[in-house]
Amino acid sequence: MIALLRKELRALLPIIVLFTVLFGADLVITPTLSWVDARDWADPAAVEPGQHESLGVMIIVLGLLVAYALFPREHDERTVEFLYSLPVTRWRIFAAKLLAGSLVLAGAFALGAVASWLLQVPNPQSFSGREFRPAAAVLACGLQLALALVVLAHAVALSFFRRFGL
């Protein structure tokens, strides 16, 4: 199982690099385009209801991207037959793929929370009531990950219909 997980994480390496570059670019671009000492943590963390609808769309796109890299890529490259010929049950292959996708998405959201925290550190205003709170960060990452896992599950289920040309 560990070897399958390593194989899947290695296959998802381009997506991991993409997530790292996106959040790393946020750390470089945001301070150059906005006031560094006026940024608060609640804005980029999207912990307020009704805020940042584009974050939900981004999570859906990231979940679909990871799901496409899991199963349909294996069918396109004709490597799924090799996977099924290994002395490993199909359930373990499926579990390794979903676990790898979940780990990549969880890492991306954790990296986003760390980037948001680093961007709000220079703000000296402690009376605004919006300083970084670890419990809120964990809650925000958990909610984002829950949405991404739902999208990942639906996308993996939809990848079954590739057999029928859909």
Side-chain angles (χ1 to χ4, degrees):
M1 179 78 170
I2 300 296
L4 280 174
L5 185 61
R6 275 193 310 230
K7 174 225 174 273
E8 292 305 324
L9 288 174
R10 200 170 35 249
L12 291 173
L13 189 62
I15 295 174
I16 295 170
V17 170
L18 174 70
F19 290 163
T20 306
V21 167
L22 286 176
F23 291 117
D26 190 34
L27 287 173
V28 173
I29 293 172
T30 301
T32 60
L33 298 178
S34 64
W35 296 101
V36 178
D37 61 347
R39 186 168 171 106
D40 61 357
W41 178 77
D43 285 340
V47 293
E48 296 177 358
Q51 298 293 320
H52 303 282
E53 290 85 9
S54 61
L55 181 65
V57 172
M58 183 188 77
I59 291 171
I60 291 171
V61 169
L62 294 179
L64 289 172
L65 181 68
V66 170
Y68 180 78
L70 292 175
F71 281 104
R73 181 187 50 81
E74 295 278 356
H75 287 280
D76 290 345
E77 295 175 359
R78 297 281 189 205
T79 56
V80 75
E81 290 88 7
F82 173 72
L83 276 178
Y84 290 153
S85 69
L86 295 175
V88 178
T89 63
R90 290 184 181 203
W91 167 247
R92 286 187 182 248
I93 294 171
F94 180 76
K97 287 181 173 291
L98 283 185
L99 183 61
S102 301
L103 288 174
V104 168
L105 290 170
F109 298 131
L111 186 63
V114 168
S116 296
W117 172 69
L118 288 174
L119 287 172
Q120 68 87 35
V121 166
N123 186 357
Q125 299 177 2
S126 61
F127 294 110
S128 64
R130 298 185 135 188
E131 62 271 358
F132 179 78
R133 293 184 187 94
V138 169
L139 178 65
C141 285
L143 291 173
Q144 293 169 0
L145 181 61
L147 175 62
L149 292 179
V150 168
V151 170
L152 183 67
H154 281 86
V156 167
L158 288 174
S159 70
F160 169 76
F161 294 105
R162 283 185 56 84
R163 295 180 182 180
F164 306 113
L166 299 175

